[in-house]
Amino acid sequence: MDSIRNIVVLTGAGVSAESGIDTFRGGGGLWEQHRVEDVATPEAFARDPDLVLRFYDMRREAIQTKEPNAAHRALARLDAEWDGELLIVTQNVDDLHERAGARRVLHMHGEHLNAWCMACDERPRWTGTLIDRPACPACGEAALRPDIVWFGEMPYRMDEIFAALEQADLFVSIGTSGAVYPAAGFVRNARELGVETLELNLEPSQGTLWFDEARHGPATELVPEWVAEILAGSRA
Ligand code: OAD
């Protein structure tokens, strides 16, 4: 562990599950309740914008009633105490990492609490609804959409993520099923670069065999344990 300086953490819906935010896959997951093609594609938005805006308005409202859990807090502790490089890449569109206190966070699939103006490209902070077609605070046009990466769109800041992986000594994947690319491929990218890899997930993910080590259980238990371990090792 002495040799670990730079860490890339990838988080998914499993890290927020114990805060009461639905995951996407598995029993009761969001994609069992809604068809992806109805609410999470540019084509769906073109076809039925009210349906899509209402779906994201409900999700935006719901996340504001949830609180960070012990896994978010442990990652915020790592962020505060880790002297080396750290990048927390999250596929989550909630703000629970930030509300727990983490600073080095990158949202590769966008954020519920941003809107994106299709007229002027601004991304204003947004906590209210979009269904009523509010004006963009920057340009005044009623052209705001959720700042969420939909299926068929390019995830954000991929160059920064790959640059961090190239410098990393350890890649840790937390609470993600390994079903959605490019995030699902990071473990293989990391391996090719000679980076040590660790999975922390409730159950084996689709990519579990690619990891050097996998630990299975709830994030609120596994993440605080791992953070305590790595911080203790770095001081040894
Ligand atoms: P998924 O719902 O696909 O997977 C969540 C994973 O978390 C599963 O492997 C669960 O076993 C695990 N899990 C559930 N509860 C857990 C807990 N308490 N502790 C630890 N692990 C737990 O969610 P993601 O992998 O994040 O994209 O999904 C990836 C992307 O697919 C999302 O960002 C979203 C979705 O479509 C977009 O919307 C663009």
Side-chain angles (χ1 to χ4, degrees):
M1 222 180 271
D2 270 359
S3 55
I4 292 173
R5 283 284 303 160
N6 301 336
I7 304 175
V8 174
V9 171
L10 171 70
T11 68
V15 86
S16 294
E18 290 165 87
S19 293
I21 299 180
D22 290 338
T23 60
F24 293 92
R25 295 171 186 80
L30 259 191
W31 295 151
E32 272 192 358
Q33 304 161 38
H34 306 269
R35 285 167 14 123
V36 170
E37 35 308 0
D38 288 341
V39 292
T41 64
E43 294 77 14
F45 187 53
R47 192 171 54 234
D48 192 346
D50 279 7
L51 177 76
V52 173
L53 292 175
R54 199 172 298 116
F55 173 77
Y56 286 100
D57 280 355
M58 281 167 48
R59 303 270 299 152
R60 189 179 311 104
E61 189 183 355
I63 62 143
Q64 294 178 70
T65 67
K66 309 299 182 192
E67 297 297 330
N69 64 45
H72 299 107
R73 287 195 294 275
L75 290 173
R77 176 183 174 211
L78 181 68
D79 189 2
E81 298 183 24
W82 187 252
D83 289 335
E85 295 291 329
L86 170 72
L87 182 64
I88 302 170
V89 178
T90 186
Q91 299 167 88
N92 297 346
V93 291
D94 64 52
D95 64 338
L96 296 184
H97 284 307
E98 287 89 343
R99 276 201 269 145
R103 294 283 166 265
R104 294 182 264 183
V105 181
L106 184 162
H107 285 269
M108 65 179 291
H109 289 167
E111 296 179 60
H112 269 319
L113 297 184
N114 281 349
W116 176 19
C117 180
M118 290 171 288
C120 74
D121 206 30
E122 277 296 304
R123 287 182 158 82
R125 187 91 182 143
W126 208 266
T127 53
T129 55
L130 293 174
I131 186 83
D132 37 345
R133 309 300 199 279
C136 168
C139 74
E141 293 290 324
L144 295 171
R145 61 163 267 187
D147 188 14
I148 302 286
V149 176
W150 286 326
F151 285 89
E153 296 182 327
M154 184 60 80
Y156 296 154
R157 298 166 65 184
M158 293 302 297
D159 290 353
E160 276 173 70
I161 297 170
F162 283 119
L165 280 173
E166 274 169 22
Q167 298 302 317
D169 304 303
L170 175 64
F171 169 72
V172 187
S173 174
I174 305 174
T176 176
S177 60
V180 174
Y181 285 81
F186 291 166
V187 60
R188 272 175 277 173
N189 302 130
R191 279 182 79 97
E192 280 161 17
L193 291 161
V195 179
E196 199 177 318
T197 54
L198 169 66
E199 166 166 285
L200 305 177
N201 204 48
L202 191 60
E203 59 196 356
S205 72
Q206 291 184 25
T208 197
L209 294 176
W210 294 101
F211 288 87
D212 295 315
E213 187 189 347
R215 302 178 189 176
H216 298 129
T220 53
E221 288 174 19
L222 294 186
V223 181
E225 275 167 23
W226 169 70
V227 167
E229 205 175 286
I230 192 124
L231 287 173
S234 74
R235 293 194 190 99

